[in-house]
Every structure is written in C-alpha cells, then in structure tokens.
C-alpha cells in the first residue's frame, strides 16, 4: 500500500500484518486484529506475523515474575482483557483451584495474569487459524523497520519481510539512571530482566534506589527468600506508596468529558495546570465531603516512615481510603485530561507533581503493605530520603550513598527507580535505526511521539507514518497513563481500528 496525493493505494502486502513484541500489549493488538479481520470479512488469506524472542508468548516482562509476593497492583476486577466484560478475569480466577474465592476479586500474583494472557492469546490463535488467518511466529528480534511504496520492510535476524501494517509493542525501556554501574557484579539494574535479586547473599547489605512499587517488590522478594542483611531504600523526595483500601464505586462529577469540553471550548483551547488541579480538587473534596488540607498532603513527610506506614495500613483496614476510589475512577478519562493540557502544564506536572501523584495513584495492595509493616517492625529495612549521590568505592567493594546528610555503604545496589523514557539511551537497534532516520520522534516528555487516536508514529518532519503504529508504555508523553494495562489495551484497539479503517479511506496527513 502507498500514500499518494492523500489517497491510500493498496499493494500486495496489505493483507500482511506484523506485531513486534508479544507482551500484554502485543496480545491486546493480536486479539483485536483477529477479531476485526473476522468481523470485517477479511480473515481468509490474511497473515499475521508475530516477532518475540521470549519463550512464553504473551506473558510480557511485568507478569513473568514467578514470585507469589509480586502482586498485581490493580484489583482483578480492573484487569479484564475485554473492556466490555470487566469481570472476565475475575471469573477466570474463580475457575482455578489455586485461587480462593475471596482472592479472586482482589490482588493476585502477577504470574496468574501472565497465564490468563497466554490462554487468551491461545484462544485467539486457534480462532485465527480456524478462520483462515495464517499466523506465523518468529523467535527473533526486529532490528529495523522502514517504509516505502511497497509497504513496511521489517528486518528480523537475517530475514526481510514486507508488511502492509506494523504494530510495534516493544514495552518499557530499562532505567536510564545509574548506567555507570551496569558492569559491576553487585549491581542489579533491572529486577525484571537478567539475574535479578537471586544472586544476593542472605547476609549482604543492600541498598534499593527508589521507594515505589518496584522497591516494594524488591523488599518482599528479599524477605520471602529469607534475607537477613540490612536493607535501606533511598528516595530523593517521597516515601513509600500509600495503601489501597476497599474499592467503592465513584461516579465522577467534575473530572468529566463534559467539563473538559466546557473549559476548553470543545477542545479549541488548552488547559493550564491550575485549571486541571482545580477539577481534581473539586472531585476529591466533593467525593470525600471535606475540605482537604493540601499544604499538609503535599508537604514532605516529617514522621518516621514506619509510623506513616502503620497509619496508612490502619486507614485501609478501616476502609478510610475513598480518595483512592476517586482517583481510580479517573483512569479512563485521564488520557483525555492529559491531551487537553498545554505542553507547559504537562511538563510542569512531570517535574513538580509526578512523584506525589504516583505515591497516591500507584499505591500498594493492603496485603503487601501489611507484610512491609511486619518487615519494618522487625527492623528488616529502613528508608532514607534526600538522596543526593551514589558512587562505587573500588577499595571497599561497596556502594557509597549520600542521603539525608549521611553516608551509607552497601554491598549490593538495586535500581528500583522505574523504567526509562530516553530513546537515545535505548540499546534496541530497532529504536536506534528508527530514530537515526527520523522515522520516529522522541516526545518532549520522553518516549515516542504518536498520534493520540491512531497511535501512528510521528516522523521527524512532523508527518504521521501511514503504516507503523507504536503501542505501549513509551507513549506516556501522549497518553500519560500508559503504565496500566487498561490504557495500553484501549490503545491497542484504537490502533487496530485505525489501521483497518484506513485500508479503505483517504490517508490522513
Ligand atoms: C513490574 C511491573 C509491574 C506492573 N504491574 C502492573 C499491574 O499490576 N497492573 C497494570 O495495569 N499494569 C502494570 N504494569 C504496567 C505494565 O507495563 C503494562 O501493563 C504492560 O504490562 C506493558 O506490556 P507491554 O506488552 O507493552 O510490554 P512488555 O511486557 O515489556 O512486552 C514487550 C515485549 O516486546 C519484546 N520486544 C522488545 N523489543 C523487541 C524487538 N525489537 N523485536 C521483537 N520483540 C521485542 C520483549 O521481549 C517483550 O516481551 C506493571 C509494570 C511493571 C514494570
């Protein structure tokens, strides 16, 4: 297929689709593609090629962990693969002998979600084959992807393919912080890739950089493995995530599409940060029925982290966490809120407010918080804030960490600062090749720039690719809430719908 004078022309590759990366997002794209081809009467003769090096297709990085202490941070009721059937995952769990009835609606180990995704993928694969769609899986890394009038040329290993459409679902980038330590054997750059924490001896002293959900996963994994050495979590600004209590259904009154339309004049004007903050303030204060002391909420914590954690656990146990249900209710609308904000408002949110948003929005399941509180009470770990520097002392064979005006020394260092968004630091040759030619563009807020609705990648010259879509955590600058399965699944559907619709329609810019 080619695009000439604004009209999409078909080529011999139009019935061939590629999905690069078969994590949770790749599964979402694959399933949407199969269903849409079947529904549109285009199944017979279509081909879908899947590219993934991992043995387990569909499990992805976040859900491949075998450890039961690594829980989904969202309730099962929010993790359905069918947007129109939110209880699908809950019913799937209820059918398993190893999940108790009370756990089925709650926070289950992530490994169960990987199994669920794989089963869902397997069903779609069977349906595809039954309907005459040829599905080919390639256990290889895609190293380049280039468009011309014949289609999208994809290089994987020594093979060269031409496709009508390509869906890139490459997942996260590892953290781009502390890369200088990656050659040291006592440094864990990513818990989810490579050897992880298994090599850490039970009596070693451990420093964990960060206090987010990944740090919580690290603490619980070390505890489960019987770790005895001292552990310290280091943070720059914030402390441990808050704790999720019972979920209460909340209907949004202020952070709504109608209000966004009103404020932006049907999206003809962009919102400043203060306007968005005001919508959220009203939503929270109306929902809670109280005026919030924002100075106190936004202030740096003064109390010991154990005290705060104990209090947060108590509030969650008493069900006094309605604020979480209110924030949770905004999941679906948040990408639209983000789209309505001015570039300055988004940039200011990222630098000034992202850490406090994450502390409340990406908070801990109560079970994990209770385990963490036990650990804290046993003095199994501590938290040091105001992290200023990290270095490695060759003579002492230890990391030296300056935090809170004191120097700490640890034998092992674990990077739990989250994923990276700097494309130029990525070790993916695919991303580097695309960047070098200007076939993708870094978003000013990190990650990849794409069209909000169609997920087509934005080229360096500002034009949109006619055939390449990028879906997944790296579109954070455009959709914001891409560290959730929910958003990536919705985007997978949008990309597939756009790709199949455009086969018959005039090309966009
Ligand atoms: C530790 C962790 C826990 C999380 N927990 C939750 C949660 O509880 N709930 C929630 O909603 N969200 C959670 N998330 C967010 C999560 O990132 C997304 O929900 C989702 O899993 C992202 O999936 P993905 O398929 O985009 O990426 P990935 O799972 O990373 O999959 C990308 C795949 O692409 C493959 N790949 C990469 N490059 C190439 C290439 N060049 N060629 C071929 N294949 C390639 C990789 O091998 C990989 O398998 C979590 C994230 C993390 C990191």
């Amino acid at each position: 297929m080619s695009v000439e004078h604004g009209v999409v022309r078909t080529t011999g590759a139009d019935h061939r689709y590629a999905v690069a990366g078969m994590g949770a997002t790749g599964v979402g794209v694959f399933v949407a593609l199969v269903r849409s081809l079947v529904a549109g009467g285009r199944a017979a003769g279509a081909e879908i090629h899947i590219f993934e090096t991992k043995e387990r297709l569909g499990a992805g990085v976040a859900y491949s962990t075998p450890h039961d202490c690594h829980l989904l941070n969202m309730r099962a009721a929010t993790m359905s693969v069918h947007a129109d059937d939110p209880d699908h995952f809950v019913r799937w769990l209820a059918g398993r002998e190893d999940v108790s009835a009370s756990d089925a609606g709650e926070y289950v180990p992530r490994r169960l979600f990987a199994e669920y995704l794989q089963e869902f993928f397997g069903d779609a694969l069977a349906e595809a084959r039954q309907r005459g769609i040829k599905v080919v899986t390639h256990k290889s890394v895609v190293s380049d992807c280039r468009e011309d009038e014949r289609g999208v040329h994809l290089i994987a290993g020594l093979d060269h393919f031409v496709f009508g459409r390509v869906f890139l679902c490459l997942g996260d980038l590892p953290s781009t912080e502390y890369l200088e330590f990656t050659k040291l054997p006592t440094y864990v750059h990513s818990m989810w890739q490579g050897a992880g924490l298994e090599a850490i001896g039970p009596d070693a002293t451990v420093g964990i950089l960060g206090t987010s959900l990944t740090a919580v996963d690290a603490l619980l994994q070390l505890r489960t493995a019987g770790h005895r050495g001292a552990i310290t979590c280091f943070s720059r600004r914030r402390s441990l995530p808050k704790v999720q209590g019972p979920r209460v259904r909340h209907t949004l009154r202020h952070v709504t599409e109608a209000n966004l339309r009103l404020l932006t004049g049907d999206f003809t004007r962009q919102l400043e940060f203060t306007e968005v903050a005001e919508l959220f303030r009203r939503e929270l204060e109306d929902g809670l029925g109280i005026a919030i002391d924002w100075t106190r909420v936004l202030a740096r914590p003064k109390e010991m982290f154990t005290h705060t954690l104990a209090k947060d656990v108590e509030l969650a146990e008493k069900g006094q966490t309605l604020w979480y249900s209110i924030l949770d209710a905004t999941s679906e609308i948040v990408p639209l809120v983000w789209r309505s904000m001015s570039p300055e408002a988004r940039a200011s949110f990222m630098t000034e407010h992202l850490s406090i948003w994450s502390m409340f929005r990406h908070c801990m399941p109560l079970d994990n918080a209770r385990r963490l509180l036990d650990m804290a009470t046993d003095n199994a770990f501590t938290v040091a804030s105001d992290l200023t520097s990290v270095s490695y002392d060759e003579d002492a064979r230890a990391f030296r960490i300056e935090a809170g005006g004191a120097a700490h020394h640890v034998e092992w260092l674990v990077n739990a600062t989250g994923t990276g968004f700097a494309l130029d630091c990525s070790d993916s040759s695919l991303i580097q090749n695309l960047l070098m030619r200007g076939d993708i563009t870094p978003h000013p807020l990190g990650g990849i720039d794409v069209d909000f609705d169609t997920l087509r990648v934005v080229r360096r010259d500002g034009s949109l690719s006619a055939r390449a879509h990028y879906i997944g955590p790296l579109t954070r600058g455009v959709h914001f809430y891409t560290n959730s399965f929910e958003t990536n699944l919705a985007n997978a559907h949008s990309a597939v719908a756009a790709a199949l619709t455009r086969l018959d329609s005039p090309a966009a810019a």
Side-chain angles (χ1 to χ4, degrees):
M1 182 170 58
S2 65
V3 186
E4 284 166 29
H5 309 301
V7 176
V8 179
R9 301 194 189 288
T10 53
T11 74
D14 272 352
H15 64 294
R16 289 157 59 87
Y17 305 87
V19 185
M22 203 29 76
T25 307
V27 171
V29 167
F30 178 77
V31 175
L33 199 47
V34 170
R35 293 208 168 145
S36 302
L37 287 169
V38 170
R42 294 188 193 148
E47 281 182 31
I48 306 177
H49 290 242
I50 290 167
F51 296 85
E52 172 62 68
T53 49
K54 289 199 167 38
E55 218 43 71
R56 296 176 67 196
L57 291 184
V61 173
Y63 311 114
S64 289
T65 168
H67 301 286
D68 275 353
C69 59
H70 293 157
L71 302 182
L72 287 174
N73 56 46
M74 309 282 285
R75 280 192 168 78
T78 65
M79 297 290 290
S80 167
V81 288
H82 299 291
D84 55 352
D85 181 8
D87 289 333
H88 190 261
F89 183 43
V90 176
R91 287 202 304 278
W92 182 90
L93 287 167
R96 289 182 63 105
E97 282 175 4
D98 57 346
V99 180
S100 72
S102 59
D103 280 350
E106 291 296 315
Y107 306 92
V108 294
R110 293 208 288 273
R111 67 171 175 78
L112 289 171
F113 190 65
E115 285 183 41
Y116 170 67
L117 282 173
Q118 286 187 283
E119 202 173 300
F120 182 58
F121 170 66
D123 290 348
L125 191 61
E127 186 185 357
R129 290 186 169 146
Q130 197 188 3
R131 301 292 193 135
I133 301 173
K134 182 176 168 191
V135 181
V136 186
T137 53
H138 304 267
K139 202 166 179 291
S140 49
V141 174
V142 176
S143 57
D144 203 4
C145 169
R146 191 172 45 77
E147 278 177 61
D148 66 15
E149 63 288 346
R150 286 176 55 211
V152 196
H153 298 252
L154 211 133
I155 308 294
L158 297 176
D159 296 319
H160 171 198
F161 306 84
V162 186
F163 294 103
R165 293 282 167 169
V166 167
F167 301 92
L168 302 171
C169 312
L170 312 179
D172 287 316
L173 298 179
S175 164
T176 44
E177 294 192 81
Y178 307 108
L179 288 170
E180 65 275 27
F181 303 131
T182 49
K183 296 242 159 25
L184 296 170
T186 51
Y187 172 68
V188 178
H189 190 61
S190 164
M191 277 180 61
W192 316 118
Q193 303 190 21
L197 307 184
E198 278 78 8
I200 301 179
D203 295 307
T205 49
V206 181
I208 298 177
L209 299 170
T211 47
S212 65
L213 290 172
T214 302
V216 173
D217 279 345
L219 286 167
L220 295 176
Q221 188 181 331
L222 288 168
R223 175 73 154 190
T224 311
H227 191 82
R228 297 179 294 259
I231 309 173
T232 311
C233 291
F234 297 95
S235 78
R236 288 198 188 105
R237 287 210 260 183
R238 297 286 161 199
S239 194
L240 294 167
K242 293 287 170 190
V243 182
Q244 299 182 25
R247 188 164 178 238
V248 179
R249 210 162 282 284
H250 174 81
T251 305
L252 295 173
R253 272 174 277 174
H254 300 280
V255 189
T256 59
E257 183 171 342
N259 275 347
L260 288 177
R261 280 191 183 281
L262 208 63
L263 279 173
T264 58
D266 265 334
F267 304 111
T268 54
R269 179 183 86 81
Q270 292 183 314
L271 298 181
E272 291 315 314
F273 177 74
T274 47
E275 296 174 286
V276 176
E278 179 59 15
L279 280 182
F280 275 84
R281 184 192 70 74
R282 286 187 193 169
E283 191 69 60
L284 282 158
E285 294 192 354
D286 256 20
L288 296 170
I290 52 162
I292 295 172
D293 179 354
W294 289 100
T295 319
R296 197 173 62 80
V297 173
L298 300 175
R300 279 165 173 250
K302 287 202 188 77
E303 292 160 334
M304 273 293 291
F305 78 96
T306 33
H307 183 80
T308 310
L309 181 59
K311 212 161 72 186
D312 290 344
V313 167
E314 190 190 331
L315 289 174
E317 283 172 343
K318 286 184 180 160
Q320 293 174 6
T321 48
L322 181 56
W323 55 266
Y324 177 72
S325 299
I326 297 172
L327 291 180
D328 195 39
T330 65
S331 295
E332 223 177 296
I333 190 87
V334 155
L336 192 59
V337 174
W338 190 245
R339 187 188 198 179
S340 310
M341 289 163 70
S342 70
E344 297 74 26
R346 290 185 226 170
S348 131
F349 177 85
M350 284 297 195
T351 48
E352 304 294 326
H353 308 289
L354 183 62
S355 65
I356 190 141
W357 167 265
S358 303
M359 191 168 136
F360 282 88
R361 181 67 190 95
H362 304 296
C363 49
M364 285 182 266
L366 180 55
D367 278 358
N368 275 356
R370 285 192 183 116
R371 287 181 200 137
L372 218 57
L373 185 57
D374 282 348
M375 281 183 78
T377 313
D378 291 352
N379 290 321
F381 80 101
T382 187
V383 175
S385 51
D386 294 314
L387 166 68
T388 48
S389 74
V390 185
S391 56
Y392 185 70
D393 182 337
E394 291 282 353
D395 298 330
R397 297 202 172 191
F399 293 89
R400 179 190 159 91
I401 299 146
E402 301 273 350
H408 306 253
H409 294 88
V410 295
E411 291 160 288
W412 278 81
L413 190 66
V414 178
N415 185 342
T417 57
T419 52
F421 289 90
L423 298 186
D424 51 349
C425 295
S426 162
D427 59 3
S428 159
S429 46
L430 173 57
I431 288 182
Q432 292 312 330
N433 284 326
L434 288 164
L435 260 186
M436 196 175 60
R437 279 197 306 274
D439 288 342
I440 57 171
T441 322
H443 190 279
L445 299 176
I448 288 183
D449 201 3
V450 294
D451 176 54
F452 185 92
D453 295 311
T454 64
L455 288 294
R456 288 190 289 154
V457 296
V458 178
R459 296 201 194 94
R460 193 190 290 145
D461 65 6
S463 65
L464 295 183
S465 159
R467 307 178 184 89
H469 305 250
Y470 196 100
I471 310 106
L474 287 183
T475 74
R476 182 180 74 167
V478 178
H479 301 103
F480 182 62
Y481 191 34
T482 54
N483 52 352
S484 85
F485 173 66
E486 204 178 344
T487 304
N488 294 327
L489 184 69
N491 284 345
H493 281 268
S494 303
V496 167
L500 295 189
T501 308
R502 276 174 47 83
L503 274 177
D504 311 312
S505 60

